[in-house]
Amino acid sequence: MTSPDKSNNQKGTRKAPLSRELVLSTALALVDGKGLDALTMRRLGQELQRDPMSLYRYAANRAALLDGVTEVVMNELAILPEDLDWQVQLRKIAHDFRLLALQHPNVLPLLVTRPLSTPLGLRPLGTLRPLEHILALLIDAGFAPADALHVYRVYYGFLYGHILNELQEYIVDPDENEAILRLGLHRLPAKEFPHLRALGPALADYDGAAELDQGLTILLTGLAAQLAASDSPPVPQP
Amino acid sequence: MTSPDKSNNQKGTRKAPLSRELVLSTALALVDGKGLDALTMRRLGQELQRDPMSLYRYAANRAALLDGVTEVVMNELAILPEDLDWQVQLRKIAHDFRLLALQHPNVLPLLVTRPLSTPLGLRPLGTLRPLEHILALLIDAGFAPADALHVYRVYYGFLYGHILNELQEYIVDPDENEAILRLGLHRLPAKEFPHLRALGPALADYDGAAELDQGLTILLTGLAAQLAASDSPPVPQP
DNA sequence: ACCTGAACACCGTTCAAGT
DNA sequence: ACCTGAACACCGTTCAAGT
């Protein structure tokens, strides 16, 4: 646990020159590997073989460090070619984002939580890029800017919610998953939780990609219906 | 800040008998009033005028304490009379939940984050009750149990997502809100964020209840369309 | 058997002292 | 001017000592 040797780090180099990128990517690796709690200034310094205080040159705060990690993760979202149908694009972005979340499950709390303590205008640019991108996509598709904002909110709200849902039901390793689930459901009082208990098998196998896609279909269908009923139908490709 | 007087607590009683309820509700008050970071074992003990160690009789862990707080909040969700139309019920629950979140904004990260580290079957009963309740509601309305689960996931996913969205854009006090927003947006590079910058005014006034309701309409419309297209249409009231 | 609190192994951050 | 690390004010949790 608290072995004092220093040779067992990821980087073989003894003293690589520090940079914001290196600090943040090392921080991300730490979170991915050992969980959010493992990301402390002191431990990160140890991982980089540097005095923990030197990190304050690259992040003013622990909070700033966390923001930096979310930014790094968000930057992993590939930007798409712009020429596809907007509904196709929204689907692709959603699936990309889902995969990103599955690759960094330990970062999800950060993704979801950090913006709660930072006004929209003051967030790291990297986290605002997807928002701008989707707005552009919708406006290009013919939506009025204000409408695009509403569509974005429904879409992004649903997307975040789905991913939270999926990771809440998954997270543990799949082998144990079913057993723990059965054990856990068994614990529930039968009178108070009849339906939940009965859903054991259905809960055990969760096809996240399919579920996301169905949800998107529901959303896009409803959206189309609302647009058709509205005064100024802004649908582009008829 | 660190004044050593002990008389300035909420409860005038010098040494109220401890109980799980008192511990958790004091913890909730602490989070509501001073934020999540203020909820520490030591500070909670001081608030209750007790040795911090004595709290371990009521929560095995700090994690268990956090779970307890989420449970207390979830229990504030009123259970509804069962005889309404299911769509009406889903709308009502959504708005109730939204109001609950607005009353306890500091608890939202807990609501969203705690389940990520606890398998579904092992969560506090209080947090599972809404799930059971909605399943019952949908099954009573004529959905097959497995379908009810899917509907629940879309619905709850969207609901959580909306609330996160809304609190991410709100949170700061409304007076400063617009100014900070304008200031923040001004900071964004004009070439990279043209749409976001242009949306300043639209972003500044956010009618959360209306936005939630429109989102629900989209969702329920899409859901109805999907049900109508499926093989076994389980819609109850024709 | 229960409760208390000293002690341990950590934190983030400040700031004076070194270079 | 920059970097370092001692020091401060906190943490959660263990566990031996008291009752």
Side-chain angles (χ1 to χ4, degrees):
Chain A
M1 291 298 176
T2 49
S3 65
D5 74 55
K6 308 181 177 185
S7 60
N8 196 8
N9 283 349
Q10 308 181 54
K11 311 287 172 183
T13 64
R14 270 307 162 99
K15 276 227 166 192
L18 231 48
S19 71
R20 185 173 155 83
E21 284 82 30
L22 181 59
V23 168
L24 292 182
S25 67
T26 307
L28 174 57
L30 203 50
V31 174
D32 280 339
K34 318 259 177 167
L36 255 184
D37 291 342
L39 178 53
T40 66
M41 305 301 272
R42 291 167 125 103
R43 173 129 192 207
L44 181 56
Q46 165 182 314
E47 208 79 13
L48 290 160
Q49 292 178 308
R50 281 302 192 313
D51 188 300
M53 291 311 108
S54 65
L55 301 177
Y56 283 84
R57 288 197 58 77
Y58 305 95
N61 257 343
R62 181 163 192 267
L65 189 65
L66 298 179
D67 281 337
V69 170
T70 71
E71 199 174 4
V72 166
V73 170
M74 286 307 253
N75 279 336
E76 288 184 19
L77 264 187
I79 295 184
L80 302 170
E82 304 266 352
D83 49 270
L84 295 171
D85 175 63
W86 64 277
Q87 296 205 10
V88 174
Q89 286 211 47
L90 288 187
R91 278 188 197 269
K92 178 144 182 17
I93 294 172
H95 282 285
D96 285 351
F97 193 77
R98 171 178 175 268
L99 290 178
L100 189 67
L102 288 176
Q103 275 159 26
H104 304 284
N106 293 340
V107 182
L108 188 66
L110 245 41
L111 257 40
V112 153
T113 274
R114 289 303 308 156
L116 286 172
S117 34
T118 323
L120 187 141
L122 302 181
R123 301 204 196 128
L125 293 191
T127 66
L128 291 176
R129 224 159 262 135
L131 166 51
E132 173 70 21
H133 182 62
I134 290 169
L135 287 176
L137 180 164
L138 290 170
I139 291 172
D140 284 359
F143 286 93
D147 289 337
L149 182 60
H150 290 297
V151 172
Y152 163 82
R153 282 179 179 146
V154 187
Y155 166 78
Y156 226 65
F158 165 74
L159 179 54
Y160 262 85
H162 165 84
I163 289 170
L164 276 171
N165 251 345
E166 182 173 349
L167 260 65
Q168 282 180 12
E169 296 194 29
Y170 190 77
I171 257 255
V172 270
D173 73 302
D175 289 343
E176 276 186 89
N177 201 359
E178 198 180 348
I180 286 184
L181 187 64
R182 195 149 34 213
L183 208 71
L185 293 182
H186 196 64
R187 174 198 61 126
L188 299 179
K191 293 152 212 153
E192 211 181 347
F193 296 90
H195 302 102
L196 196 48
R197 282 177 56 122
L199 277 172
L203 280 165
D205 63 325
Y206 186 132
D207 185 343
E211 194 107 16
L212 174 59
D213 221 56
Q214 287 167 35
L216 285 168
T217 300
I218 291 171
L219 204 74
L220 293 171
T221 304
L223 208 53
Q226 178 174 285
L227 290 177
S230 98
D231 297 343
S232 54
V235 191
Q237 295 100 330
Chain B
M1 290 298 176
T2 48
S3 65
D5 75 53
K6 310 180 176 184
S7 59
N8 197 7
N9 283 348
Q10 309 181 51
K11 309 287 172 181
T13 63
R14 271 306 162 96
K15 277 226 166 193
L18 232 47
S19 71
R20 183 174 156 84
E21 283 82 31
L22 181 60
V23 168
L24 292 183
S25 67
T26 307
L28 174 57
L30 203 51
V31 174
D32 280 340
K34 317 259 177 166
L36 255 184
D37 291 343
L39 178 53
T40 66
M41 303 303 270
R42 291 165 124 105
R43 173 129 192 207
L44 182 56
Q46 165 182 313
E47 208 81 12
L48 289 161
Q49 292 177 308
R50 281 304 191 312
D51 188 299
M53 292 310 109
S54 65
L55 301 177
Y56 284 84
R57 287 198 58 78
Y58 305 95
N61 257 342
R62 181 161 192 268
L65 188 64
L66 298 179
D67 281 338
V69 171
T70 72
E71 197 174 6
V72 166
V73 171
M74 287 306 255
N75 278 336
E76 287 183 20
L77 265 187
I79 295 183
L80 302 170
E82 305 266 352
D83 48 88
L84 295 171
D85 175 63
W86 64 276
Q87 297 203 10
V88 175
Q89 286 211 46
L90 288 188
R91 278 187 198 270
K92 177 141 183 19
I93 293 173
H95 282 284
D96 286 351
F97 194 78
R98 172 179 175 268
L99 290 177
L100 189 66
L102 288 176
Q103 276 160 25
H104 304 286
N106 293 339
V107 182
L108 188 66
L110 246 41
L111 256 41
V112 153
T113 274
R114 288 303 308 157
L116 287 172
S117 36
T118 323
L120 188 141
L122 302 181
R123 303 207 193 124
L125 292 192
T127 65
L128 291 175
R129 223 161 262 133
L131 165 52
E132 173 71 21
H133 182 61
I134 291 170
L135 286 176
L137 181 164
L138 291 170
I139 291 172
D140 285 357
F143 286 92
D147 289 337
L149 182 59
H150 290 296
V151 173
Y152 162 82
R153 282 179 179 147
V154 187
Y155 166 78
Y156 226 65
F158 166 74
L159 178 56
Y160 261 86
H162 166 85
I163 289 170
L164 275 172
N165 252 345
E166 182 172 348
L167 261 64
Q168 283 180 12
E169 296 195 28
Y170 190 77
I171 256 276
V172 270
D173 74 301
D175 288 344
E176 275 186 271
N177 202 359
E178 200 181 346
I180 286 186
L181 187 63
R182 196 150 35 213
L183 209 72
L185 293 182
H186 196 64
R187 176 198 59 126
L188 300 179
K191 294 152 213 154
E192 212 181 347
F193 295 91
H195 302 102
L196 196 48
R197 282 177 56 121
L199 276 172
L203 281 165
D205 62 326
Y206 186 131
D207 185 342
E211 193 106 15
L212 173 59
D213 221 55
Q214 287 167 34
L216 285 168
T217 301
I218 291 171
L219 204 74
L220 293 172
T221 305
L223 208 52
Q226 179 174 284
L227 290 178
S230 96
D231 297 342
S232 54
V235 191
Q237 296 100 330

